[in-house]
Amino acid sequence: TTHWASSDDFHRRYPKVRLDAERIFIRDGDIWTSAGISAGIDLALALVEDDLGAEVARRTAQQIVVHQRRPGGQSQFSAFVELGGRTGRFAALIDWVRANLAKPLTVECLADHAAMSPRNFARAFTAETGVTPAKAVERMRLETARTAIETSHLPLERIAETAGFGDPGRMRRAFLRTLGQPPQAFRAAAEHRELQPGRPSSGSAGLRAVPVQRRTKANGRT
């Protein structure tokens, strides 16, 4: 992967290299790549977790004062960021919705949290973000569900429940309507990527992917 702003140039220069410009970082065998600066921190924490375990990675994140790492499968284009709007007027509301996706998030519920009447809230929110409140909630639920599907082995029933869809059937319809594929297709693609062996791409002349070098000690990995 690479930063989204460089993806077009990357494709032109290295047309035979397989590029997934949506992900914040990707592991392909022994080769790790990331997008942007903060994504590099996520990648570094993933390396720590891979070597030393989740607890050490969590303590490392606390030590450098960052949130626990985001999964590599997370998209660079986050609905939580995009829905902040032009002025960020509803940023606090978006954060609250993100933490409460499993609840019934009706327009009335959101308007009450924003201390507005439902009618005025719906108009103001749509004008600010470009989407209706219902569509915004669905986008956030889709992003949360897709990340869980691609980065965990949780059953779809559990993911549908925690993301607020209620049941797998409703989640499936939302995936097909917005993303064009069912949840099972995203899980299958993620599992396929995990099984791919790391290897340099044949068309990467002028670009060399450097495997991560690990130092070892007599008593184990470091």
Side-chain angles (χ1 to χ4, degrees):
T1 188
T2 189
H3 192 281
W4 63 267
S6 302
S7 61
D8 288 342
D9 181 59
F10 189 100
H11 276 302
R12 285 192 298 269
R13 296 177 65 184
Y14 312 107
K16 295 182 180 180
V17 175
R18 291 180 293 113
L19 177 68
D20 185 346
E22 281 200 359
R23 303 293 178 253
I24 61 173
F25 71 84
I26 289 176
R27 178 182 185 178
D28 188 1
D30 288 333
I31 299 173
W32 300 64
T33 55
S34 70
I37 296 174
S38 61
I41 297 175
D42 293 306
L43 184 151
L45 289 171
L47 287 168
V48 172
E49 181 174 335
D50 189 58
D51 272 354
L52 302 173
E55 177 59 23
V56 174
R58 184 187 66 80
R59 294 203 306 268
T60 302
Q62 291 177 334
Q63 186 67 29
I64 61 176
V65 197
V66 298
H67 293 295
Q68 194 164 0
R69 75 166 180 86
R70 297 169 292 174
Q74 183 167 318
S75 173
Q76 293 185 40
F77 304 96
S78 173
F80 302 114
V81 174
E82 293 177 3
L83 290 172
R86 299 186 304 274
T87 66
R89 176 182 180 183
F90 294 107
L93 176 65
I94 296 300
D95 288 341
W96 180 82
V97 170
R98 181 181 189 178
N100 293 275
L101 286 173
K103 296 181 178 179
L105 298 173
T106 63
V107 171
E108 290 75 18
C109 174
L110 300 180
D112 183 66
H113 192 79
M116 300 173 68
S117 71
R119 185 182 182 88
N120 287 337
F121 166 74
R123 287 179 175 176
F125 186 91
T126 303
E128 174 72 15
T129 66
V131 296
T132 65
K135 181 59 68 174
V137 170
E138 182 177 82
R139 283 182 59 186
M140 288 187 279
R141 283 175 170 158
L142 280 169
E143 181 170 315
T144 296
R146 178 176 174 176
T147 298
I149 288 167
E150 293 182 325
T151 62
S152 78
H153 297 288
L154 290 172
L156 296 183
E157 292 80 4
R158 176 62 174 164
I159 293 174
E161 179 183 346
T162 56
F165 287 108
D167 62 79
R170 184 181 172 195
M171 182 171 72
R172 176 185 172 84
R173 290 191 293 273
F175 266 70
L176 289 172
R177 180 171 58 250
T178 304
L179 302 176
Q181 297 184 77
Q184 293 87 343
F186 287 93
R187 172 150 287 175
E191 291 174 348
H192 177 72
R193 286 195 297 269
E194 289 180 359
L195 294 174
Q196 290 298 302
R199 63 182 185 275
S201 300
S202 59
S204 57
L207 176 70
R208 185 168 63 91
V210 181
V212 175
Q213 299 296 319
R214 305 292 181 83
R215 293 178 298 174
T216 59
K217 292 182 178 179
N219 62 347
R221 303 166 71 192
T222 63

